[in-house]
Amino acid sequence: MMLQLPNLPNEKVKIGESAANNAEVRTWGEKAGFDFKPKTHVELCESLKLVDFARGAKLSGSGFFFILVGGRVWNGH
C-alpha cells in the first residue's frame, strides 16, 4: 500500500514557478573555489564515458540514460 502513496511535499514548502524560485534554506561548509570552470554532472559523466544520455533518450525519452562500464552498456548481468 505504501508504494501507491505519492511523495507529498511538506506543507511549509512554497510552490514556485521554476527552480529559480527555490529558496536556499541552509548551507554547510565553504564553497570550493576553482581556477577553472567546473563541469556539470552531465559533462563529467559523458567525458568520462560513464553514461550515454543520447542513447538512453533515443530509446526511452528525455531524462533516461545508459550506465556504461568499460565503454559498454551495463545491463545488470
Side-chain angles (χ1 to χ4, degrees), residues 22-64:
N22 292 344
E24 186 173 285
V25 177
R26 74 178 146 246
T27 60
W28 181 80
E30 296 192 26
K31 289 190 175 186
F34 300 103
D35 57 353
F36 57 90
K37 182 182 177 216
K39 293 182 178 182
T40 66
H41 70 281
V42 172
E43 292 169 332
L44 281 173
C45 288
E46 287 181 335
S47 66
L48 296 172
K49 298 187 185 334
L50 298 175
V51 296
D52 188 339
F53 290 102
R55 197 179 336 178
K58 184 176 180 181
L59 182 69
S60 300
S62 177
F64 292 89

Side-chain angles (χ1 to χ4, degrees), residues 50 52 55 65-77:
L50 298 175
D52 188 339
R55 197 179 336 178
F65 58 89
F66 283 109
I67 297 173
L68 303 175
V69 178
R72 295 184 179 151
V73 174
W74 181 68
N75 62 8
H77 297 285

